[in-house]
Amino acid sequence: MNLKNLISTYENGIATVTINRPKVLNALNKDTLLEIKEVFTKLGTDDKVKVIILTGSGEKAFVAGADIAFMQSLSAIEGFEFAKLGQEAFMTIEGCPKPVIAAINGFALGGGNEIAMACDLRIAAETARFGQPEINLGIIPGFAGTQRLTRLVGKTKAKEIIYTGAMIEAQEAHRIGLVNKVVPLVDLMDEALKMAELIASKGAVSLKLAKSAIDTGVEIDFHSGSLHEAQLFGLCFSTEDQKEGMSAFLEKRKAKFKNK
Ligand code: HXC
């Protein structure tokens, strides 16, 4: 892949994708969104990749939003298409069968908060700042922020964040359930790797099914979601990992999953 705006590296089952436009605080333009879509599609089908970490380049920003210079002169139809492109790119992250951890190393604003919310887990540096400041630009969130933020923190808090456009600190983001964990900036990548390694030690099939059960379930009614869960639970019994996991427990040893 010939990447201009992203850096993608791989080690021991863990891929790290870095959004790399530090001069504009990693702001997302059309090309970057296209690359995100391409990279996550590829990583999703690469059997050696078990977990993906997404971060931003530099110490100041994770992603400071969609690129305002790029958006400034868009027509209504181009604005719609840009929003749809970002939504598709973020759906590729959310729909990726591997767990994705956002390591949030600074500002996560607008599209930056929206891309973080499309990840499965979020670890924030103490210095990270979150917000949906679109209202200050005379627009609204367009990469599904009104939908994901509401689902993550509830309607009341989502409206406060979106209507005021104010930034919140990492600890507050943790308090309202927007991020899983807050750590010192110097420890951020180690903490993300530690979590990625722990998750990568589990079976890839059950991870994929758990992700589907949660993400599909939350969008449908409780009974349909529970039925989907039961079907996926049943499917686990067709895997070698289920046999290994249960045998290992009964034989009092650590499971060695084969990811099949
Ligand atoms: C384009 C951006 C940018 C952005 C920062 N820059 N954010 N360029 N798009 N979203 C550029 C600045 O213009 C500047 O370029 C350089 O990055 C450094 O930024 P500064 O503003 O000088 O840094 P600082 O004073 O530290 O302020 C940091 C900041 C501020 C608080 C994060 O940059 C900021 O408010 N950025 C915009 C945040 C925002 O509104 N995001 C939402 C965008 S709308 P120069 O050339 O001057 O060095 C959005 C919609 C999503 O995301 C949905 C679309 C469909």
Side-chain angles (χ1 to χ4, degrees), residues 81-112:
E81 280 165 1
F82 184 55
K84 289 294 282 178
L85 172 64
Q87 290 182 6
E88 276 169 34
F90 297 2
M91 284 295 279
T92 310
I93 297 175
E94 196 169 70
C96 175
K98 323 287 169 71
V100 183
I101 302 171
I104 302 163
N105 52 307
F107 292 112
L109 301 174

Side-chain angles (χ1 to χ4, degrees), residues 23-24 27 60 64-68 107 109-111 114 133-134 137 142-143:
K23 282 191 185 140
V24 287
K60 195 165 169 181
D67 192 320
I68 299 169
F107 292 112
L109 301 174
E114 289 173 305
E134 287 89 345
L137 300 168
F143 294 152

Side-chain angles (χ1 to χ4, degrees), residues 32-239:
T32 309
L33 293 171
L34 286 167
E35 287 184 16
I36 289 169
K37 207 171 143 184
E38 191 186 340
V39 163
F40 277 87
T41 302
K42 277 238 159 75
L43 294 176
T45 54
D46 184 340
D47 284 345
K48 65 182 194 306
V49 174
K50 290 197 69 185
V51 180
I52 303 163
I53 296 173
L54 176 69
T55 193
S57 141
E59 295 203 335
K60 195 165 169 181
F62 172 67
V63 171
D67 192 320
I68 299 169
F70 170 81
M71 288 188 294
Q72 187 189 19
S73 56
L74 295 183
S75 66
I77 194 74
E78 287 165 344
F80 171 77
E81 280 165 1
F82 184 55
K84 289 294 282 178
L85 172 64
Q87 290 182 6
E88 276 169 34
F90 297 2
M91 284 295 279
T92 310
I93 297 175
E94 196 169 70
C96 175
K98 323 287 169 71
V100 183
I101 302 171
I104 302 163
N105 52 307
F107 292 112
L109 301 174
N113 192 42
E114 289 173 305
I115 194 171
M117 291 190 294
C119 300
D120 295 281
L121 301 165
R122 283 160 289 285
I123 304 180
E126 285 165 349
T127 49
R129 297 288 177 272
F130 297 80
Q132 297 290 157
E134 287 89 345
I135 210 84
N136 302 324
L137 300 168
I139 58 171
I140 66 169
F143 294 152
T146 59
Q147 305 306 299
R148 288 200 178 89
L149 187 61
T150 306
R151 281 161 174 73
L152 280 175
V153 304
K155 205 163 146 181
T156 307
K157 205 70 202 173
K159 284 185 174 174
E160 181 185 330
I161 291 169
I162 291 170
Y163 292 176
T164 66
M167 280 191 227
I168 60 172
E169 302 204 342
Q171 289 299 350
E172 174 67 358
H174 184 238
R175 194 188 67 77
I176 64 174
L178 186 54
V179 302
N180 295 79
K181 204 170 181 176
V182 179
V183 300
L185 178 61
V186 287
D187 299 332
L188 180 68
M189 289 317 286
D190 284 349
E191 288 285 340
L193 263 176
K194 218 160 69 184
M195 193 180 280
E197 281 163 3
L198 175 63
I199 295 171
S201 72
K202 317 297 177 189
V205 182
S206 39
L207 286 170
K208 174 176 158 178
L209 299 183
K211 180 164 176 169
S212 170
I214 295 167
D215 285 340
T216 306
V218 86
E219 297 303 334
I220 57 183
D221 69 278
F222 184 85
H223 290 287
S224 306
S226 300
L227 177 62
H228 180 55
E229 180 189 272
Q231 287 164 340
L232 297 182
F233 180 80
L235 199 56
C236 292
F237 289 79
S238 69
T239 67

